[in-house]
C-alpha cells in the first residue's frame, strides 16, 4: 500500500476494489473451473499491483508533457511502469507462488494482465472478445488463446467495476478502514519490508485455500 501515491482515484482504495472483484470472479463464478491455480494467484497479484506508483495523470498527459516515463516506455506508458514496479517486487519476494510453479510463468501472466488495463488495448481486442462471447453460447472448448483473452477481460472489467457498483458499496466505512490499516500494520511488522505488504496478503489468501482449483 505504501507504493501507492495519495492521488484522488488510482490509490490503494481503488486497488482493493479491483482485487476484491477479481477474487470474486476466480472463486465464485465458473471462471474458477477454467483457470489454473497459478493463473488465479497471478490475476490477484495483478489486481493489487496494477496501478503501482500511479502519478494521477493519464497516458495522454505523459505523452504531451514528454515525461520521463513516456520517453522510457512510449505507448501504454503507465501500464508498463506498473509492470516494472511489480516485477521489482516479484524478483525480491515470490514465496507466495504455488509449489512447483514457475516465476517466469507468473510474470508473463501478470504482465499481460496489467497491460490489459490500458483501454486502448481493450478496444483493439473488442472484436475478438465479441467473437469469443458468441462462441461460448454453444459447446465451446477453451484453448490457450481464449483463456488468455478471458484473463484480459477479467482484468479490464475488474479495473472498471467501481462505477458499476451501488453507491453504498463504494463508500469506505470507518470500521473497515481501521481493520485494513491494522491488518496492513501487522503484515508490515511480520514482513521483510513494508513494500511486500500486498504480496503477503495474496500469500495469506492462498494459505487459507480460498483460491481453489
Amino acid at each position: 500500500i505504501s507504493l501507492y501515491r495519495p492521488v484522488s482515484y488510482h490509490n490503494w482504495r481503488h486497488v482493493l476494489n479491483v482485487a476484491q472483484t477479481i477474487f470474486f470472479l476466480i472463486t465464485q463464478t465458473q471462471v474458477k473451473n477454467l483457470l489454473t491455480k497459478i493463473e488465479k494467484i497471478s490475476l490477484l497479484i495483478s489486481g493489487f499491483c496494477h496501478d503501482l506508483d500511479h502519478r494521477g495523470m493519464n497516458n495522454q498527459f505523459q505523452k504531451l508533457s514528454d515525461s520521463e516515463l513516456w520517453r522510457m516506455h512510449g505507448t501504454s506508458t503507465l501500464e508498463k511502469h506498473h509492470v516494472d514496479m511489480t516485477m521489482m517486487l516479484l524478483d525480491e519476494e515470490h514465496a507466495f507462488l504455488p509449489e512447483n510453479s514457475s516465476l517466469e510463468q507468473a510474470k508473463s501472466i501478470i504482465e499481460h494482465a496489467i497491460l490489459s488495463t490500458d483501454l486502448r488495448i481493450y478496444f483493439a481486442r473488442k472484436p475478438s472478445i465479441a467473437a469469443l462471447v458468441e462462441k461460448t453460447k454453444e459447446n465451446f472448448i477453451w484453448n490457450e488463446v481464449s483463456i488468455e483473452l478471458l484473463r484480459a477481460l477479467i482484468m479490464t472489467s475488474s479495473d472498471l467495476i467501481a462505477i458499476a457498483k451501488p453507491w453504498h458499496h463504494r463508500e469506505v466505512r470507518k470500521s473497515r478502514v481501521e481493520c485494513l490499516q491494522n491488518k496492513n500494520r501487522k503484515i508490515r511488522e511480520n514482513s521483510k519490508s513494508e513494500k511486500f505488504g500486498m504480496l503477503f496478503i495474496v500469500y495469506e489468501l492462498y494459505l487459507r485455500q480460498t483460491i481453489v482449483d
Side-chain angles (χ1 to χ4, degrees):
I1 290 177
S2 65
L3 291 179
Y4 279 92
R5 301 189 183 206
V7 294
S8 59
Y9 183 77
H10 294 96
N11 50 47
W12 66 269
R13 289 181 177 85
H14 165 66
V15 167
L16 291 178
N17 195 4
V18 173
Q20 183 273 331
T21 304
I22 293 173
F23 182 75
F24 173 81
L25 291 174
I26 64 178
T27 61
Q28 304 300 315
T29 72
Q30 290 302 312
V31 169
K32 68 182 181 181
N33 299 320
L34 296 173
L35 301 183
T36 64
K37 186 171 293 185
I38 185 63
E39 287 175 315
K40 295 171 189 174
I41 293 179
S42 296
L43 280 178
L44 193 56
I45 292 171
S46 301
F48 278 116
C49 297
H50 79 282
D51 275 332
L52 280 176
D53 194 41
H54 200 291
R55 313 299 174 85
M57 301 295 182
N58 62 19
N59 287 336
Q60 184 67 3
F61 175 87
Q62 304 299 329
K63 180 179 179 179
L64 293 176
S65 64
D66 194 31
S67 70
E68 182 180 350
L69 287 180
W70 164 256
R71 293 195 299 272
M72 182 183 302
H73 298 300
T75 57
S76 300
T77 309
L78 290 169
E79 290 77 16
K80 290 177 181 176
H81 176 59
H82 305 324
V83 168
D84 282 351
M85 296 291 291
T86 304
M87 296 305 151
M88 177 188 71
L89 295 181
L90 292 176
D91 284 338
E92 298 186 39
E93 182 61 48
H94 51 268
F96 53 84
L97 292 176
E99 188 176 353
N100 298 323
S101 294
S102 165
L103 177 59
E104 294 308 312
Q105 181 187 10
K107 284 183 174 182
S108 177
I109 295 171
I110 291 168
E111 179 176 8
H112 180 265
I114 294 178
L115 290 178
S116 296
T117 61
D118 184 350
L119 289 180
R120 182 185 60 84
I121 294 177
Y122 163 75
F123 284 113
R125 290 175 177 156
K126 192 173 180 181
S128 298
I129 293 172
L132 178 62
V133 171
E134 287 300 316
K135 291 178 181 177
T136 55
K137 291 180 180 179
E138 303 175 358
N139 293 330
F140 178 70
I141 299 177
W142 291 84
N143 56 35
E144 186 175 339
V145 175
S146 56
I147 287 291
E148 186 177 66
L149 194 58
L150 174 64
R151 295 200 309 262
L153 187 57
I154 289 172
M155 195 69 198
T156 306
S157 58
S158 298
D159 192 27
L160 301 175
I161 199 64
I163 60 175
K165 286 186 175 181
W167 176 252
H168 68 278
H169 286 170
R170 284 186 273 166
E171 293 179 348
V172 182
R173 297 188 177 121
K174 182 178 179 181
S175 60
R176 291 190 178 184
V177 172
E178 291 176 348
C179 178
L180 288 171
Q181 290 174 337
N182 292 334
K183 181 71 173 177
N184 189 49
R185 188 178 301 112
K186 183 177 180 180
I187 290 172
R188 291 201 307 267
E189 291 172 354
N190 294 331
S191 66
K192 298 177 183 177
S193 169
E194 181 175 345
K195 65 184 178 182
F196 296 134
M198 290 185 186
L199 300 185
F200 274 82
I201 292 175
V202 176
Y203 190 41
E204 181 176 350
L205 289 173
Y206 170 63
L207 290 179
R208 292 183 180 182
Q209 298 180 338
T210 50
I211 302 175
V212 296
D213 287 324

